[in-house]
Every structure is written in C-alpha cells, then in structure tokens.
C-alpha cells in the first residue's frame, strides 16, 4: 500500500476503518451513561421549574420564563460549544456543557433562597447547557456510524436518556423534601440534586470518552477535512442554504422541539388548575418523557428502513394528535397524560429523523457547524415559544396554546411534501437520499 492510500485508510491519528467496530463498542456505552445521568439531572430540575417560577414571580404569565430561560441558554451556548467541538472534539465541548449546567443549577438554588426571580432566570439559562450536552451527544453517536445505520445510532443515545429522564420527575418530590431542613424552598430541591448529577456526567465524559469520536471520524478521511474555513459557521450556513433536505431537517427539528416545549412547559400549570398535585404532575411528565425517549430506537429503525421523510410525516401526525388530546382534556388527567405521551412520541420522531437527515445532507467538514446551527435555531425558536406559551395560557387558556402549537405543524408538512416531490428518481429510489454522495475511495465504515 503506498503512502497516499495508507493515509486515506488510517488517517492522521493512525486509526483504521477496521478499528471502528471496537471504537463504537467503546464509545457508545460512555455516551449512554452520560445521557442517563444528564437526562436525570435535566428532568429532575425541569419538572418543577414552572412551579418554582410561579411561586417566586406570583403570576402565571411569568411561569413560562423559567423553562424558556433554560431553552435560551441552550440556544446561546450551541454555537460556541459547536465551535469548541469543531476545533477540539466532542469531549471538551460536552464536559464544559455539563459543568456550566451544574453551575446554573446551583445558581437556581441560590436564587430560590434569596428570592430573586431575575437570578432564577440566569441560573436556568446556565442549567440549559446540560440540555445542550444531551442534544450534542446524539451527533457524537453519529460521528462513527455507518450511513445506513446512522438514525439507529442517534436513536440509541437518545433512548438512553429514558432511564434518567423518566426517573427524574418522580424523584422531584423527595428531592424537594430532602432540603426542607436547609432553608431551601421545596421546589428548588431538585436543582441541588441536579448540580451533583451534572458534575458526575462531566467526569464520566472527561475520563472515558476516548478516543474522541469527531476527531477520529475526521482523521479517517483527511482529504475531506476542508481546513478551518470548511468547518466554520459560515460554511455550515452555506451548506444548509445549498441543500433542500438540510433545510427540511433543520425546520423539522426546530418545529418539533418548539411545539413540544411550548405545550409541555405549561402543562404542569394547567394540571395544577384541575387539582393535580406534585406526584401526579410528575407521573404525567414521566409519561411524556417516556414518549420522548423510550421509543426512539423504533424511530431510528423506521428512519433507516422507510426513509427520513416518512418519519417526518409521522412526527407531524403524532404532534397534531397530541395537541388535540391535550388541548381538549380539561379536567381529565388521563386524557392530558395521553396527549403528553403522544407529544413526546412525535418529538422523538421529528428529532431522530431530522437529525439523521441533517447529518446525511451536508458535507463532512461542515457537519459540526451545521449541527450547532441546528441546535441554535431549534432552541431559539423553542425559547420564543416558551415565552409566548405563558402569555397565551394567561390570556386565552391552555386549549388555545395547543391549537396554536398544531398550526406550527402546517408549514412543516408543506415543506416535507415539497422536498419529497423534488426528489429525483435518478439519484436514488429513496426520497431522502443524502445530498452528498459517499466518495468511492473513502474508507469503509462497515464492520
């Protein structure tokens, strides 16, 4: 084998395509553990975020600002974290995100003790960094995945969040009671627990996520690196602008997340109006989170087998049914629970299919930047939706919030149909084939 072929086959890091199965087996469990812990911390805190905000502000109209601040923090940190990952790899970006999340959770506890609502929002913004880590971990799973198994690789890591995310809301009440003798409000107790959990997550990633999946994937095909300019945010924006499928993927993830966050964030308040206590609210949110994560492997399998566009259509249908059920539930807690479960299921379909399609549709060097851009767009949109959700519920009611959330799905459905109709049969028998073809001389990613 000559020097040029050897470099292409092994990359600058000396990693060959033959090493990939072992690398996947080493890296995937680390991502799974970090997702379990991260999901536990985020879900434990977020379950009572609106309740804490309402207690501190004294009004429903401002209750939605707590999860909104978290989403805004996730959005604002997406681009710098993506830039750090592009330059240094996934590991330092994920570690930093968890550390910021731990600091933010600590600030939330301090804000509750001193009774400062603005400080609460600052803490929630930092808390959102942990969500950014959880979101970016799904792309870390895709870095070394085979193209035809990419959605399943993403869904495996998303699924891992189920354990922590379902358990989190159910331990919110005991977490609150555990701080009763410390002078900390009960609703802030879960954030104290989240601080410790995020620190453990950061330690797990820092010690065990080796070799770095993004740097390894880049080293395997050095000819496609494109240099610093090819990996810049500007290159990411250009890649999305030039690819209809990338635009659809970005819109899919953004709309799915915005509809989910807007409806979910105000559901605890709506349930409390109809006599639900903390335990019941925790159960409903747990069912919702189970819908978000537990069935993600099914969504990944469907995305790989039936195509990304088919599952995007499924996401639109599930989210529409969820808005109908939740918006017309009234005092029926069972109907609210069913609606929230479908809301999570629709989010899962949109996130997995959209993330896989986004990764498929842009050149390798620009992927990290595009993924950061996607998280920025997604969480900025959801942040706006969260602010609007509190105002809509206060002025018009929870039913209208769900109706407006359903209306957000109409442009997504139209764009999916338009993108599907533009697909060329000459390119692929699948309507969502990647916009970028696999180079014939690239190293194989098959086992």
């Amino acid at each position: 084998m000559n020097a040029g072929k050897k470099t292409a086959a092994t990359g600058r890091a000396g990693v060959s395509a033959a090493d990939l199965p072992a690398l996947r087996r080493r890296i995937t469990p680390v991502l799974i553990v970090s997702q379990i812990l991260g999901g536990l911390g985020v879900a434990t805190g977020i379950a009572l975020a609106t309740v804490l905000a309402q207690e501190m502000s004294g009004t429903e109209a401002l209750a939605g600002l707590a999860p909104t601040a978290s989403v805004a923090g996730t959005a604002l940190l997406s681009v710098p974290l993506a830039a750090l990952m592009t330059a240094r790899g996934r590991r330092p970006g994920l570690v930093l995100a968890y550390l910021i999340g731990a600091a933010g959770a600590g600030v939330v506890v301090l804000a509750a003790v001193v009774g400062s609502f603005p400080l609460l929002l600052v803490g929630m913004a930092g808390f959102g960094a942990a969500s950014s880590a959880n979101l970016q971990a799904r792309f870390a799973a895709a870095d070394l995945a085979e193209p035809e198994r990419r959605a399943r690789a993403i869904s495996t890591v998303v699924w891992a969040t189920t354990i922590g995310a379902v358990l989190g809301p159910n331990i919110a009440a005991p977490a609150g009671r555990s701080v009763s003798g410390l002078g900390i409000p009960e609703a802030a107790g879960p954030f104290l627990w989240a601080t410790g959990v995020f620190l453990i997550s950061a330690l797990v990633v820092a010690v065990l996520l080796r070799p770095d999946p993004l740097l390894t994937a880049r080293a395997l095909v050095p000819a496609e690196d494109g240099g610093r300019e090819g990996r810049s945010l500007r290159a990411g924006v250009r890649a999305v602008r030039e690819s209809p499928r990338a635009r659809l993927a970005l819109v899919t993830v953004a709309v799915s997340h915005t509809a989910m966050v807007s409806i979910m964030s105000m559901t605890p308040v709506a349930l409390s109006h109809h006599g639900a206590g903390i335990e019941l609210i925790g159960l409903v949110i747990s069912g919702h989170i189970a819908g978000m994560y537990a069935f993600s492997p099914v969504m990944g399998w469907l995305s790989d087998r039936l195509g990304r566009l088919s599952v995007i259509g499924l996401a639109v249908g599930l989210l529409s049914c969820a808005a109908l059920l939740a918006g017309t539930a009234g005092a029926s807690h069972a109907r609210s629970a069913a609606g929230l479960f479908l809301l999570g299921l629709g989010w899962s379909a949109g996130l997995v299919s959209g993330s896989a399609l986004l990764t498929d549709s842009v050149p390798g060097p620009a992927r990290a930047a595009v993924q950061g851009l996607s998280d920025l767009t997604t969480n900025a949109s959801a942040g706006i939706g969260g602010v609007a959700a509190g105002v809509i519920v206060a002025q018009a009611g929870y039913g209208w919030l769900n109706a407006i959330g359903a209306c957000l799905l109409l442009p997504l459905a139209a764009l999916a149909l338009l993108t599907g109709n533009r697909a060329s049969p000459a390119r692929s028998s699948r309507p969502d084939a990647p916009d970028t073809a696999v180079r014939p001389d690239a190293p194989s990613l098959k086992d």
Side-chain angles (χ1 to χ4, degrees):
M1 179 181 290
N2 61 39
K5 290 184 179 180
K6 184 176 181 180
T7 300
T10 64
R12 290 186 294 266
V15 177
S16 70
D19 299 325
L20 284 177
L23 292 180
R24 294 188 193 108
R25 289 192 296 269
R26 183 187 309 168
I27 289 172
T28 300
V30 178
L31 294 172
I32 288 174
V33 171
S34 71
Q35 285 293 90
I36 291 173
L37 293 171
L40 176 63
V42 171
T44 301
I46 209 68
L48 296 182
T50 52
V51 175
L52 179 61
Q54 184 176 359
E55 289 178 357
M56 294 182 64
S57 67
T59 174
E60 292 177 0
L62 297 180
L65 288 180
T68 298
S70 177
V71 171
T74 305
L76 291 173
L77 289 166
S78 295
V79 171
L81 287 173
L84 177 60
M85 292 181 191
T86 297
R88 304 289 298 277
R90 299 288 185 192
R91 185 173 62 253
L94 293 175
V95 169
L96 179 61
Y98 281 127
L99 291 177
I100 295 173
V107 171
V108 169
V109 176
L110 176 62
V113 172
V114 302
S116 173
F117 186 71
L119 188 60
L120 169 70
L121 298 183
V122 172
M124 289 301 301
F127 182 83
S131 295
S132 183
N134 288 349
L135 289 171
Q136 284 292 325
R138 76 192 193 275
F139 292 125
D143 287 334
L144 298 178
E146 299 163 289
E148 65 271 19
R149 296 182 61 87
R150 188 169 285 147
R152 277 169 280 188
I154 291 171
S155 67
T156 297
V157 173
V158 172
W159 171 86
T161 312
T162 308
I163 300 172
V166 172
L167 181 62
N170 288 292
I171 67 173
R177 290 192 293 268
S178 71
V179 301
S180 59
L182 303 177
I184 299 174
E186 182 177 334
F191 290 95
L192 184 61
W193 286 33
T195 302
V197 171
F198 292 153
L199 290 175
I200 297 173
S201 299
L203 181 63
V204 167
V205 173
V207 174
L208 300 178
L209 191 64
R210 299 173 185 275
D212 190 281
L214 179 60
L215 298 184
T216 301
R218 189 179 295 161
L220 280 170
V221 195
E224 290 187 350
D225 192 342
R228 181 175 300 178
E229 178 61 27
R231 301 192 302 263
S232 67
L233 179 61
R234 180 178 299 178
V237 173
R238 182 168 60 250
V240 172
R241 187 173 60 244
E242 293 174 353
S243 170
R245 289 173 178 78
R247 293 196 296 271
L248 171 62
L250 192 147
V251 171
T252 296
V253 178
V255 170
S256 299
H257 195 61
T258 300
M260 184 276 291
V261 168
S262 300
I263 296 172
M264 181 275 293
S265 65
M266 296 308 297
T267 297
V269 175
L271 287 170
S272 66
H273 281 170
H274 294 287
I278 291 179
E279 286 78 8
L280 180 57
I281 292 173
L283 287 173
V284 172
I285 298 300
S286 291
H288 165 69
I289 295 174
M292 290 174 65
Y293 300 115
F295 295 91
S296 58
V298 177
M299 301 305 174
W301 182 83
L302 290 174
S303 294
D304 285 335
R305 292 297 298 272
L306 303 181
R308 321 301 194 216
L309 294 180
S310 298
V311 181
I312 289 173
L314 176 62
V316 172
L318 289 170
L319 291 169
S320 299
C321 291
L324 175 63
L325 283 174
T328 59
S332 173
H333 298 325
R335 190 163 184 168
S336 294
L340 264 290
F341 174 75
L342 289 180
L343 184 70
L345 206 59
W347 174 88
S348 178
L351 180 77
V352 171
S353 60
S355 299
L357 182 60
L358 186 69
T359 306
D360 291 341
S361 304
V362 296
R367 280 177 184 163
V370 170
Q371 290 157 356
L373 177 65
S374 173
D375 283 351
L376 169 64
T377 304
T378 295
N379 288 287
S381 301
I384 295 172
V387 172
V391 176
I392 292 170
V393 170
Q395 298 297 321
Y398 181 68
W400 276 103
L401 172 64
N402 282 271
I404 293 172
C407 290
L408 293 176
L409 302 170
L410 296 176
L412 171 58
L415 182 60
L417 289 173
L418 181 62
T419 303
N421 289 336
R422 284 178 176 175
S424 171
R427 290 183 47 175
S428 172
S429 60
R430 288 178 54 180
D432 55 352
D435 284 331
T436 54
V438 177
R439 289 171 53 242
D441 58 338
S444 173
L445 297 184
K446 295 185 177 180
D447 293 353

